[in-house]
Amino acid sequence: MTRSDISEFLFPGQLTRYAGASGDVGDLLCARGVPTGAICVVADSIVHANGLTADLLEGLAKAGYEPQVFADVIGEPDVDVVTRAAVAAAATNPVAFVGIGGGSALDTVKLVAYSVASGTPLRDLKGPAPLVPGLGPLVMVPTTVGTGAEATRVAMFAVDGAKRAVLSRQFVPELAVLDDALVQRLPAPVVAATALDALAHSVESMMSSTSNELTWFFSGEAARRIFAALPAGHKGDPKARSELLYASFLAGVSLNAGVVLGHSLSYVLAARHHLPHGVGCAIALPYCLAYNQTMSARDGKSLAESVLGQSDATLRDVAEAVRALTELVDLPTDLDAYGTAAEEIPFLAQSVVRDYPRPTNPVPLESVRLGVLLEHLRTGDLRGAWTAMGELA
Ligand SMILES: NC(=O)c1ccc[n+]([C@@H]2O[C@H](COP(=O)([O-])OP(=O)(O)OC[C@H]3O[C@@H](n4cnc5c(N)ncnc54)[C@H](O)[C@@H]3O)[C@@H](O)[C@H]2O)c1
Ligand SMILES: [Fe+2]
């Protein structure tokens, strides 16, 4: 395959973006021919408690639907919460499934819809899931500026403490609704972590061997917008927040190419230290770039130019810029605060290779080289990591 070949590019059936759009989901479903009946609404618990589901629910009722709310999604979902939601949903025979919240609620509703349509026990789902007739329709209303789950074929959940990805083209929703009003009161630390997750999606997907011209287009757009908007968005600027919501969607579309080593590192670090997903991704991204510095020189140069919007930028500049942005929004850039011991590093490196292999990473994952990388990450020595990864190439 060359960069201009595209084997498959998925995009939501419809994108709707304006302040207040969540109140119009009922009308949008009517317009798409969804018959009246029960609607399974899976909501993040804080989002629901803060009243951010009110417009959605009112609009659904006005359009003649009966919303049935499951609002027990508290943090990143595990198999138990998803199973409870699926059992509740199945009892109401829903005509559509709506997720409202961050990636946690959106991933939950994807898995709920899959379970209701297939009857498959959720514990059995891992990796690519078989197609099932009659899944959905799915509607996704994000309230964080991070995962882009409203554009992806991925659903993440934890089983026995380990993070799992389930993949299905049927998880790309019929309707993605970006309502700027929902992210205006998002706490600053959540803005920081989730926007850096989106930045990791855009930059990592550019390194993936399955990327193509179109995924690069979305990646570059997303990354430049996040660099430009995050400082003001973090402080609460309404336009910048709207921009970040849009950029996280664009980065979600770039995930047609998938993520690479940075997300594997972040899953292992997050499991060890209970870090929010975006915090692990932000710490890992500069080191992912260091590891992959030997990717094709032409691709590395165009990645750097596209992400930073400067013609003479290098991959190293991207890593430094990501780190500076992470510091600017008050997130950690090393593991100092978490007390990772040097003796743990070989185990963590092996876990990256064994539990989260990345055949699409441009440089093969090797546990010895990853151990050296992780030792530099532990202490925040990006310069040392860059030199060591260059020498070990
Ligand atoms: N499906 C995908 O393609 C994909 C991609 C990347 C990550 N993920 C997964 O998504 C999950 C993380 O999602 P996330 O980063 O969006 O975080 P999240 O959904 O866990 O939300 C983070 C926190 O923000 C709160 N919150 C959300 N919206 C709010 C609002 N508008 N106002 C106030 N508080 C709000 C939530 O209650 C929660 O405490 C992880 O499980 C991750 O693995 C999925
Ligand atoms: Fe992510």
PDB file of all heavy atoms in Angstrom, residues 44 46-47 50 52 75-77 102-105 107 110 143-144 147 149 152 154-156 163 182-183 185-187 190 194 197 201 255 267 277, ligand 1:
ATOM      1  N   ASP A  44     -22.677   9.807  31.512  1.00  0.00           N
ATOM      2  CA  ASP A  44     -21.698   9.949  32.592  1.00  0.00           C
ATOM      3  C   ASP A  44     -22.437  10.476  33.828  1.00  0.00           C
ATOM      4  O   ASP A  44     -23.298  11.364  33.719  1.00  0.00           O
ATOM      5  CB  ASP A  44     -20.631  10.943  32.147  1.00  0.00           C
ATOM      6  CG  ASP A  44     -19.595  11.198  33.225  1.00  0.00           C
ATOM      7  OD1 ASP A  44     -19.848  12.053  34.098  1.00  0.00           O
ATOM      8  OD2 ASP A  44     -18.554  10.536  33.182  1.00  0.00           O
ATOM      9  N   ILE A  46     -21.545  12.393  36.400  1.00  0.00           N
ATOM     10  CA  ILE A  46     -21.370  13.819  36.742  1.00  0.00           C
ATOM     11  C   ILE A  46     -22.073  14.695  35.697  1.00  0.00           C
ATOM     12  O   ILE A  46     -22.712  15.695  36.022  1.00  0.00           O
ATOM     13  CB  ILE A  46     -19.864  14.159  36.835  1.00  0.00           C
ATOM     14  CG1 ILE A  46     -19.250  13.440  38.037  1.00  0.00           C
ATOM     15  CG2 ILE A  46     -19.638  15.662  36.921  1.00  0.00           C
ATOM     16  CD1 ILE A  46     -17.764  13.618  38.211  1.00  0.00           C
ATOM     17  N   VAL A  47     -21.968  14.291  34.460  1.00  0.00           N
ATOM     18  CA  VAL A  47     -22.626  15.038  33.378  1.00  0.00           C
ATOM     19  C   VAL A  47     -24.132  15.092  33.628  1.00  0.00           C
ATOM     20  O   VAL A  47     -24.771  16.147  33.500  1.00  0.00           O
ATOM     21  CB  VAL A  47     -22.291  14.371  32.016  1.00  0.00           C
ATOM     22  CG1 VAL A  47     -23.194  14.852  30.907  1.00  0.00           C
ATOM     23  CG2 VAL A  47     -20.819  14.601  31.671  1.00  0.00           C
ATOM     24  N   ASN A  50     -24.932  17.228  36.713  1.00  0.00           N
ATOM     25  CA  ASN A  50     -24.760  18.664  36.438  1.00  0.00           C
ATOM     26  C   ASN A  50     -25.820  19.232  35.502  1.00  0.00           C
ATOM     27  O   ASN A  50     -25.746  20.394  35.106  1.00  0.00           O
ATOM     28  CB  ASN A  50     -23.383  18.928  35.811  1.00  0.00           C
ATOM     29  CG  ASN A  50     -22.270  18.830  36.839  1.00  0.00           C
ATOM     30  OD1 ASN A  50     -22.527  18.650  38.021  1.00  0.00           O
ATOM     31  ND2 ASN A  50     -21.029  18.945  36.382  1.00  0.00           N
ATOM     32  N   LEU A  52     -26.366  18.413  32.379  1.00  0.00           N
ATOM     33  CA  LEU A  52     -25.973  18.545  30.962  1.00  0.00           C
ATOM     34  C   LEU A  52     -26.739  17.589  30.043  1.00  0.00           C
ATOM     35  O   LEU A  52     -26.608  17.676  28.817  1.00  0.00           O
ATOM     36  CB  LEU A  52     -24.460  18.329  30.803  1.00  0.00           C
ATOM     37  CG  LEU A  52     -23.573  19.376  31.487  1.00  0.00           C
ATOM     38  CD1 LEU A  52     -22.090  19.029  31.307  1.00  0.00           C
ATOM     39  CD2 LEU A  52     -23.850  20.767  30.923  1.00  0.00           C
ATOM     40  N   GLY A  75     -16.294   7.306  35.826  1.00  0.00           N
ATOM     41  CA  GLY A  75     -14.918   7.005  35.409  1.00  0.00           C
ATOM     42  C   GLY A  75     -14.905   5.950  34.313  1.00  0.00           C
ATOM     43  O   GLY A  75     -15.951   5.617  33.730  1.00  0.00           O
ATOM     44  N   GLU A  76     -13.714   5.412  34.042  1.00  0.00           N
ATOM     45  CA  GLU A  76     -13.554   4.505  32.903  1.00  0.00           C
ATOM     46  C   GLU A  76     -14.272   3.190  33.180  1.00  0.00           C
ATOM     47  O   GLU A  76     -14.179   2.652  34.283  1.00  0.00           O
ATOM     48  CB  GLU A  76     -12.057   4.338  32.616  1.00  0.00           C
ATOM     49  CG  GLU A  76     -11.440   5.701  32.310  1.00  0.00           C
ATOM     50  CD  GLU A  76      -9.962   5.677  31.930  1.00  0.00           C
ATOM     51  OE1 GLU A  76      -9.420   4.593  31.708  1.00  0.00           O
ATOM     52  OE2 GLU A  76      -9.381   6.771  31.849  1.00  0.00           O
ATOM     53  N   PRO A  77     -15.029   2.674  32.198  1.00  0.00           N
ATOM     54  CA  PRO A  77     -15.943   1.558  32.476  1.00  0.00           C
ATOM     55  C   PRO A  77     -15.236   0.210  32.632  1.00  0.00           C
ATOM     56  O   PRO A  77     -14.239  -0.046  31.971  1.00  0.00           O
ATOM     57  CB  PRO A  77     -16.847   1.538  31.235  1.00  0.00           C
ATOM     58  CG  PRO A  77     -16.030   2.142  30.149  1.00  0.00           C
ATOM     59  CD  PRO A  77     -15.128   3.151  30.809  1.00  0.00           C
ATOM     60  N   GLY A 102     -17.952  11.684  28.406  1.00  0.00           N
ATOM     61  CA  GLY A 102     -16.641  11.531  27.800  1.00  0.00           C
ATOM     62  C   GLY A 102     -16.507  10.159  27.163  1.00  0.00           C
ATOM     63  O   GLY A 102     -17.510   9.435  26.990  1.00  0.00           O
ATOM     64  N   GLY A 103     -15.285   9.782  26.840  1.00  0.00           N
ATOM     65  CA  GLY A 103     -15.054   8.485  26.203  1.00  0.00           C
ATOM     66  C   GLY A 103     -15.627   7.342  27.021  1.00  0.00           C
ATOM     67  O   GLY A 103     -16.073   6.338  26.465  1.00  0.00           O
ATOM     68  N   SER A 104     -15.653   7.509  28.338  1.00  0.00           N
ATOM     69  CA  SER A 104     -16.147   6.417  29.191  1.00  0.00           C
ATOM     70  C   SER A 104     -17.616   6.105  28.899  1.00  0.00           C
ATOM     71  O   SER A 104     -18.000   4.938  28.753  1.00  0.00           O
ATOM     72  CB  SER A 104     -15.981   6.796  30.665  1.00  0.00           C
ATOM     73  OG  SER A 104     -14.614   6.945  30.953  1.00  0.00           O
ATOM     74  N   ALA A 105     -18.460   7.133  28.801  1.00  0.00           N
ATOM     75  CA  ALA A 105     -19.891   6.910  28.523  1.00  0.00           C
ATOM     76  C   ALA A 105     -20.089   6.468  27.072  1.00  0.00           C
ATOM     77  O   ALA A 105     -20.937   5.614  26.777  1.00  0.00           O
ATOM     78  CB  ALA A 105     -20.682   8.183  28.806  1.00  0.00           C
ATOM     79  N   ASP A 107     -17.970   4.831  25.087  1.00  0.00           N
ATOM     80  CA  ASP A 107     -17.556   3.434  24.917  1.00  0.00           C
ATOM     81  C   ASP A 107     -18.584   2.493  25.542  1.00  0.00           C
ATOM     82  O   ASP A 107     -18.873   1.421  25.002  1.00  0.00           O
ATOM     83  CB  ASP A 107     -16.185   3.206  25.567  1.00  0.00           C
ATOM     84  CG  ASP A 107     -15.058   3.785  24.727  1.00  0.00           C
ATOM     85  OD1 ASP A 107     -15.333   4.274  23.618  1.00  0.00           O
ATOM     86  OD2 ASP A 107     -13.897   3.737  25.172  1.00  0.00           O
ATOM     87  N   LYS A 110     -21.546   1.977  23.223  1.00  0.00           N
ATOM     88  CA  LYS A 110     -21.207   1.113  22.083  1.00  0.00           C
ATOM     89  C   LYS A 110     -21.312  -0.358  22.489  1.00  0.00           C
ATOM     90  O   LYS A 110     -21.912  -1.185  21.784  1.00  0.00           O
ATOM     91  CB  LYS A 110     -19.771   1.390  21.615  1.00  0.00           C
ATOM     92  CG  LYS A 110     -19.571   2.745  20.952  1.00  0.00           C
ATOM     93  CD  LYS A 110     -18.099   2.937  20.557  1.00  0.00           C
ATOM     94  CE  LYS A 110     -17.864   4.305  19.934  1.00  0.00           C
ATOM     95  NZ  LYS A 110     -16.500   4.485  19.405  1.00  0.00           N
ATOM     96  N   THR A 143     -18.757  15.052  25.769  1.00  0.00           N
ATOM     97  CA  THR A 143     -18.723  16.194  26.696  1.00  0.00           C
ATOM     98  C   THR A 143     -17.304  16.444  27.215  1.00  0.00           C
ATOM     99  O   THR A 143     -17.117  17.250  28.119  1.00  0.00           O
ATOM    100  CB  THR A 143     -19.657  15.969  27.898  1.00  0.00           C
ATOM    101  OG1 THR A 143     -19.146  14.862  28.658  1.00  0.00           O
ATOM    102  CG2 THR A 143     -21.080  15.691  27.473  1.00  0.00           C
ATOM    103  N   THR A 144     -16.305  15.693  26.701  1.00  0.00           N
ATOM    104  CA  THR A 144     -14.904  16.035  26.963  1.00  0.00           C
ATOM    105  C   THR A 144     -14.280  16.387  25.618  1.00  0.00           C
ATOM    106  O   THR A 144     -14.920  16.230  24.563  1.00  0.00           O
ATOM    107  CB  THR A 144     -14.121  14.863  27.606  1.00  0.00           C
ATOM    108  OG1 THR A 144     -14.064  13.775  26.694  1.00  0.00           O
ATOM    109  CG2 THR A 144     -14.751  14.421  28.916  1.00  0.00           C
ATOM    110  N   THR A 147     -11.411  11.929  23.469  1.00  0.00           N
ATOM    111  CA  THR A 147     -11.228  10.617  22.842  1.00  0.00           C
ATOM    112  C   THR A 147     -11.606  10.600  21.371  1.00  0.00           C
ATOM    113  O   THR A 147     -11.099   9.793  20.621  1.00  0.00           O
ATOM    114  CB  THR A 147     -12.079   9.553  23.559  1.00  0.00           C
ATOM    115  OG1 THR A 147     -13.454   9.867  23.339  1.00  0.00           O
ATOM    116  CG2 THR A 147     -11.796   9.523  25.033  1.00  0.00           C
ATOM    117  N   ALA A 149     -14.214   9.409  20.506  1.00  0.00           N
ATOM    118  CA  ALA A 149     -14.904   8.111  20.405  1.00  0.00           C
ATOM    119  C   ALA A 149     -16.134   8.222  19.508  1.00  0.00           C
ATOM    120  O   ALA A 149     -16.593   7.221  18.955  1.00  0.00           O
ATOM    121  CB  ALA A 149     -15.305   7.618  21.797  1.00  0.00           C
ATOM    122  N   THR A 152     -14.955   6.903  16.143  1.00  0.00           N
ATOM    123  CA  THR A 152     -14.076   5.730  15.992  1.00  0.00           C
ATOM    124  C   THR A 152     -14.817   4.401  16.038  1.00  0.00           C
ATOM    125  O   THR A 152     -15.948   4.318  16.521  1.00  0.00           O
ATOM    126  CB  THR A 152     -13.001   5.685  17.107  1.00  0.00           C
ATOM    127  OG1 THR A 152     -13.639   5.295  18.337  1.00  0.00           O
ATOM    128  CG2 THR A 152     -12.306   7.020  17.283  1.00  0.00           C
ATOM    129  N   VAL A 154     -13.730   2.020  17.880  1.00  0.00           N
ATOM    130  CA  VAL A 154     -13.146   1.406  19.078  1.00  0.00           C
ATOM    131  C   VAL A 154     -14.064   1.582  20.286  1.00  0.00           C
ATOM    132  O   VAL A 154     -14.694   2.621  20.448  1.00  0.00           O
ATOM    133  CB  VAL A 154     -11.796   2.094  19.397  1.00  0.00           C
ATOM    134  CG1 VAL A 154     -11.118   1.432  20.591  1.00  0.00           C
ATOM    135  CG2 VAL A 154     -10.889   2.099  18.190  1.00  0.00           C
ATOM    136  N   ALA A 155     -14.105   0.574  21.154  1.00  0.00           N
ATOM    137  CA  ALA A 155     -14.707   0.730  22.491  1.00  0.00           C
ATOM    138  C   ALA A 155     -13.743   0.102  23.487  1.00  0.00           C
ATOM    139  O   ALA A 155     -13.299  -1.038  23.288  1.00  0.00           O
ATOM    140  CB  ALA A 155     -16.067   0.047  22.557  1.00  0.00           C
ATOM    141  N   MET A 156     -13.403   0.862  24.535  1.00  0.00           N
ATOM    142  CA  MET A 156     -12.451   0.367  25.536  1.00  0.00           C
ATOM    143  C   MET A 156     -13.204   0.056  26.834  1.00  0.00           C
ATOM    144  O   MET A 156     -14.086   0.822  27.234  1.00  0.00           O
ATOM    145  CB  MET A 156     -11.408   1.444  25.877  1.00  0.00           C
ATOM    146  CG  MET A 156     -10.643   2.028  24.724  1.00  0.00           C
ATOM    147  SD  MET A 156      -9.412   0.943  24.010  1.00  0.00           S
ATOM    148  CE  MET A 156      -8.507   0.394  25.428  1.00  0.00           C
ATOM    149  N   LYS A 163      -7.125  -3.236  30.633  1.00  0.00           N
ATOM    150  CA  LYS A 163      -7.832  -2.486  29.591  1.00  0.00           C
ATOM    151  C   LYS A 163      -7.911  -3.320  28.316  1.00  0.00           C
ATOM    152  O   LYS A 163      -6.936  -3.963  27.925  1.00  0.00           O
ATOM    153  CB  LYS A 163      -7.002  -1.225  29.328  1.00  0.00           C
ATOM    154  CG  LYS A 163      -7.743  -0.040  28.840  1.00  0.00           C
ATOM    155  CD  LYS A 163      -8.545   0.594  29.922  1.00  0.00           C
ATOM    156  CE  LYS A 163      -9.388   1.689  29.372  1.00  0.00           C
ATOM    157  NZ  LYS A 163      -8.797   2.989  29.588  1.00  0.00           N
ATOM    158  N   LEU A 182     -21.738  22.035  25.968  1.00  0.00           N
ATOM    159  CA  LEU A 182     -21.507  20.991  26.972  1.00  0.00           C
ATOM    160  C   LEU A 182     -20.085  20.993  27.533  1.00  0.00           C
ATOM    161  O   LEU A 182     -19.830  20.374  28.567  1.00  0.00           O
ATOM    162  CB  LEU A 182     -21.812  19.614  26.364  1.00  0.00           C
ATOM    163  CG  LEU A 182     -23.246  19.411  25.868  1.00  0.00           C
ATOM    164  CD1 LEU A 182     -23.408  18.025  25.251  1.00  0.00           C
ATOM    165  CD2 LEU A 182     -24.242  19.598  27.006  1.00  0.00           C
ATOM    166  N   VAL A 183     -19.135  21.643  26.848  1.00  0.00           N
ATOM    167  CA  VAL A 183     -17.744  21.584  27.337  1.00  0.00           C
ATOM    168  C   VAL A 183     -17.311  22.890  28.013  1.00  0.00           C
ATOM    169  O   VAL A 183     -16.162  23.024  28.417  1.00  0.00           O
ATOM    170  CB  VAL A 183     -16.743  21.226  26.209  1.00  0.00           C
ATOM    171  CG1 VAL A 183     -17.021  19.825  25.681  1.00  0.00           C
ATOM    172  CG2 VAL A 183     -16.755  22.242  25.082  1.00  0.00           C
ATOM    173  N   ARG A 185     -18.122  24.152  30.938  1.00  0.00           N
ATOM    174  CA  ARG A 185     -17.827  24.100  32.378  1.00  0.00           C
ATOM    175  C   ARG A 185     -16.950  22.884  32.740  1.00  0.00           C
ATOM    176  O   ARG A 185     -16.837  22.503  33.902  1.00  0.00           O
ATOM    177  CB  ARG A 185     -19.122  24.104  33.185  1.00  0.00           C
ATOM    178  CG  ARG A 185     -19.735  25.514  33.224  1.00  0.00           C
ATOM    179  CD  ARG A 185     -20.954  25.563  34.123  1.00  0.00           C
ATOM    180  NE  ARG A 185     -22.020  24.715  33.614  1.00  0.00           N
ATOM    181  CZ  ARG A 185     -22.874  24.035  34.374  1.00  0.00           C
ATOM    182  NH1 ARG A 185     -22.787  24.086  35.678  1.00  0.00           N
ATOM    183  NH2 ARG A 185     -23.823  23.313  33.826  1.00  0.00           N
ATOM    184  N   LEU A 186     -16.361  22.292  31.721  1.00  0.00           N
ATOM    185  CA  LEU A 186     -15.460  21.148  31.950  1.00  0.00           C
ATOM    186  C   LEU A 186     -14.287  21.614  32.820  1.00  0.00           C
ATOM    187  O   LEU A 186     -13.662  22.640  32.513  1.00  0.00           O
ATOM    188  CB  LEU A 186     -14.964  20.684  30.578  1.00  0.00           C
ATOM    189  CG  LEU A 186     -14.341  19.312  30.407  1.00  0.00           C
ATOM    190  CD1 LEU A 186     -15.272  18.195  30.847  1.00  0.00           C
ATOM    191  CD2 LEU A 186     -13.956  19.118  28.937  1.00  0.00           C
ATOM    192  N   PRO A 187     -13.974  20.909  33.919  1.00  0.00           N
ATOM    193  CA  PRO A 187     -12.873  21.360  34.781  1.00  0.00           C
ATOM    194  C   PRO A 187     -11.540  21.417  34.012  1.00  0.00           C
ATOM    195  O   PRO A 187     -11.284  20.575  33.142  1.00  0.00           O
ATOM    196  CB  PRO A 187     -12.819  20.277  35.865  1.00  0.00           C
ATOM    197  CG  PRO A 187     -14.152  19.605  35.832  1.00  0.00           C
ATOM    198  CD  PRO A 187     -14.644  19.705  34.421  1.00  0.00           C
ATOM    199  N   VAL A 190      -9.451  18.321  33.386  1.00  0.00           N
ATOM    200  CA  VAL A 190     -10.028  17.383  32.405  1.00  0.00           C
ATOM    201  C   VAL A 190      -9.803  17.916  30.987  1.00  0.00           C
ATOM    202  O   VAL A 190      -9.504  17.160  30.058  1.00  0.00           O
ATOM    203  CB  VAL A 190     -11.538  17.142  32.672  1.00  0.00           C
ATOM    204  CG1 VAL A 190     -12.106  16.137  31.675  1.00  0.00           C
ATOM    205  CG2 VAL A 190     -11.766  16.657  34.094  1.00  0.00           C
ATOM    206  N   THR A 194      -7.718  15.545  28.464  1.00  0.00           N
ATOM    207  CA  THR A 194      -8.420  14.992  27.302  1.00  0.00           C
ATOM    208  C   THR A 194      -7.902  15.614  26.002  1.00  0.00           C
ATOM    209  O   THR A 194      -7.767  14.919  24.996  1.00  0.00           O
ATOM    210  CB  THR A 194      -9.958  15.131  27.445  1.00  0.00           C
ATOM    211  OG1 THR A 194     -10.329  16.494  27.617  1.00  0.00           O
ATOM    212  CG2 THR A 194     -10.473  14.328  28.618  1.00  0.00           C
ATOM    213  N   ASP A 197      -4.847  13.800  25.090  1.00  0.00           N
ATOM    214  CA  ASP A 197      -5.196  12.491  24.519  1.00  0.00           C
ATOM    215  C   ASP A 197      -5.482  12.668  23.019  1.00  0.00           C
ATOM    216  O   ASP A 197      -4.987  11.903  22.176  1.00  0.00           O
ATOM    217  CB  ASP A 197      -6.416  11.921  25.251  1.00  0.00           C
ATOM    218  CG  ASP A 197      -6.883  10.579  24.717  1.00  0.00           C
ATOM    219  OD1 ASP A 197      -6.043   9.826  24.185  1.00  0.00           O
ATOM    220  OD2 ASP A 197      -8.092  10.277  24.842  1.00  0.00           O
ATOM    221  N   HIS A 201      -3.664  11.081  19.741  1.00  0.00           N
ATOM    222  CA  HIS A 201      -4.320  10.369  18.632  1.00  0.00           C
ATOM    223  C   HIS A 201      -3.819  10.889  17.291  1.00  0.00           C
ATOM    224  O   HIS A 201      -3.513  10.120  16.379  1.00  0.00           O
ATOM    225  CB  HIS A 201      -5.842  10.535  18.702  1.00  0.00           C
ATOM    226  CG  HIS A 201      -6.444   9.915  19.910  1.00  0.00           C
ATOM    227  ND1 HIS A 201      -7.687  10.246  20.383  1.00  0.00           N
ATOM    228  CD2 HIS A 201      -5.964   8.981  20.776  1.00  0.00           C
ATOM    229  CE1 HIS A 201      -7.948   9.540  21.472  1.00  0.00           C
ATOM    230  NE2 HIS A 201      -6.917   8.777  21.729  1.00  0.00           N
ATOM    231  N   LEU A 255      -8.054   8.398  13.711  1.00  0.00           N
ATOM    232  CA  LEU A 255      -7.840   7.055  14.272  1.00  0.00           C
ATOM    233  C   LEU A 255      -8.276   5.944  13.314  1.00  0.00           C
ATOM    234  O   LEU A 255      -8.163   4.767  13.653  1.00  0.00           O
ATOM    235  CB  LEU A 255      -8.561   6.916  15.616  1.00  0.00           C
ATOM    236  CG  LEU A 255      -7.922   7.693  16.768  1.00  0.00           C
ATOM    237  CD1 LEU A 255      -8.674   7.464  18.061  1.00  0.00           C
ATOM    238  CD2 LEU A 255      -6.460   7.300  16.944  1.00  0.00           C
ATOM    239  N   TYR A 267      -1.260   2.780  28.522  1.00  0.00           N
ATOM    240  CA  TYR A 267      -2.103   1.775  29.187  1.00  0.00           C
ATOM    241  C   TYR A 267      -1.349   1.126  30.344  1.00  0.00           C
ATOM    242  O   TYR A 267      -1.900   0.894  31.419  1.00  0.00           O
ATOM    243  CB  TYR A 267      -2.553   0.686  28.205  1.00  0.00           C
ATOM    244  CG  TYR A 267      -3.527   1.177  27.168  1.00  0.00           C
ATOM    245  CD1 TYR A 267      -3.447   0.758  25.850  1.00  0.00           C
ATOM    246  CD2 TYR A 267      -4.539   2.072  27.506  1.00  0.00           C
ATOM    247  CE1 TYR A 267      -4.331   1.226  24.896  1.00  0.00           C
ATOM    248  CE2 TYR A 267      -5.430   2.537  26.558  1.00  0.00           C
ATOM    249  CZ  TYR A 267      -5.319   2.110  25.250  1.00  0.00           C
ATOM    250  OH  TYR A 267      -6.192   2.576  24.311  1.00  0.00           O
ATOM    251  N   HIS A 277      -6.699   8.404  31.513  1.00  0.00           N
ATOM    252  CA  HIS A 277      -6.179   7.998  30.200  1.00  0.00           C
ATOM    253  C   HIS A 277      -5.313   9.091  29.559  1.00  0.00           C
ATOM    254  O   HIS A 277      -4.193   8.841  29.118  1.00  0.00           O
ATOM    255  CB  HIS A 277      -7.370   7.645  29.292  1.00  0.00           C
ATOM    256  CG  HIS A 277      -6.978   7.319  27.890  1.00  0.00           C
ATOM    257  ND1 HIS A 277      -6.302   6.171  27.563  1.00  0.00           N
ATOM    258  CD2 HIS A 277      -7.137   8.018  26.732  1.00  0.00           C
ATOM    259  CE1 HIS A 277      -6.067   6.166  26.268  1.00  0.00           C
ATOM    260  NE2 HIS A 277      -6.566   7.270  25.731  1.00  0.00           N
TER     261      HIS A 277
HETATM  262  N1  LIG B   1     -13.399   4.783  21.802  1.00  0.00           N
HETATM  263  C1  LIG B   1     -12.281   5.375  21.492  1.00  0.00           C
HETATM  264  O1  LIG B   1     -11.955   5.537  20.327  1.00  0.00           O
HETATM  265  C2  LIG B   1     -11.391   5.835  22.596  1.00  0.00           C
HETATM  266  C3  LIG B   1     -10.245   6.573  22.266  1.00  0.00           C
HETATM  267  C4  LIG B   1      -9.437   7.005  23.304  1.00  0.00           C
HETATM  268  C5  LIG B   1      -9.769   6.715  24.632  1.00  0.00           C
HETATM  269  N2  LIG B   1     -10.890   5.985  24.911  1.00  0.00           N
HETATM  270  C6  LIG B   1     -11.289   5.659  26.291  1.00  0.00           C
HETATM  271  O2  LIG B   1     -12.094   6.727  26.806  1.00  0.00           O
HETATM  272  C7  LIG B   1     -11.945   6.774  28.223  1.00  0.00           C
HETATM  273  C8  LIG B   1     -11.576   8.169  28.681  1.00  0.00           C
HETATM  274  O3  LIG B   1     -12.509   9.111  28.231  1.00  0.00           O
HETATM  275  P1  LIG B   1     -12.321  10.670  28.580  1.00  0.00           P
HETATM  276  O4  LIG B   1     -10.883  10.994  28.550  1.00  0.00           O
HETATM  277  O5  LIG B   1     -13.243  11.420  27.703  1.00  0.00           O
HETATM  278  O6  LIG B   1     -12.739  10.766  30.114  1.00  0.00           O
HETATM  279  P2  LIG B   1     -14.040  10.306  30.926  1.00  0.00           P
HETATM  280  O7  LIG B   1     -15.170  10.000  30.054  1.00  0.00           O
HETATM  281  O8  LIG B   1     -13.603   9.204  31.845  1.00  0.00           O
HETATM  282  O9  LIG B   1     -14.338  11.636  31.747  1.00  0.00           O
HETATM  283  C9  LIG B   1     -13.331  12.207  32.580  1.00  0.00           C
HETATM  284  C10 LIG B   1     -13.969  12.908  33.762  1.00  0.00           C
HETATM  285  O10 LIG B   1     -14.621  14.078  33.320  1.00  0.00           O
HETATM  286  C11 LIG B   1     -15.966  14.118  33.832  1.00  0.00           C
HETATM  287  N3  LIG B   1     -16.736  14.874  32.831  1.00  0.00           N
HETATM  288  C12 LIG B   1     -16.999  14.510  31.551  1.00  0.00           C
HETATM  289  N4  LIG B   1     -17.629  15.497  30.900  1.00  0.00           N
HETATM  290  C13 LIG B   1     -17.802  16.504  31.785  1.00  0.00           C
HETATM  291  C14 LIG B   1     -18.385  17.802  31.704  1.00  0.00           C
HETATM  292  N5  LIG B   1     -18.877  18.273  30.556  1.00  0.00           N
HETATM  293  N6  LIG B   1     -18.383  18.582  32.810  1.00  0.00           N
HETATM  294  C15 LIG B   1     -17.827  18.124  33.972  1.00  0.00           C
HETATM  295  N7  LIG B   1     -17.241  16.917  34.107  1.00  0.00           N
HETATM  296  C16 LIG B   1     -17.221  16.123  33.020  1.00  0.00           C
HETATM  297  C17 LIG B   1     -16.342  12.679  34.019  1.00  0.00           C
HETATM  298  O11 LIG B   1     -17.339  12.530  35.006  1.00  0.00           O
HETATM  299  C18 LIG B   1     -15.019  12.071  34.495  1.00  0.00           C
HETATM  300  O12 LIG B   1     -14.857  12.263  35.863  1.00  0.00           O
HETATM  301  C19 LIG B   1     -10.862   5.778  28.570  1.00  0.00           C
HETATM  302  O13 LIG B   1     -11.468   4.561  29.000  1.00  0.00           O
HETATM  303  C20 LIG B   1     -10.146   5.550  27.268  1.00  0.00           C
HETATM  304  O14 LIG B   1      -9.496   4.302  27.174  1.00  0.00           O
HETATM  305  C21 LIG B   1     -11.710   5.571  23.917  1.00  0.00           C
END
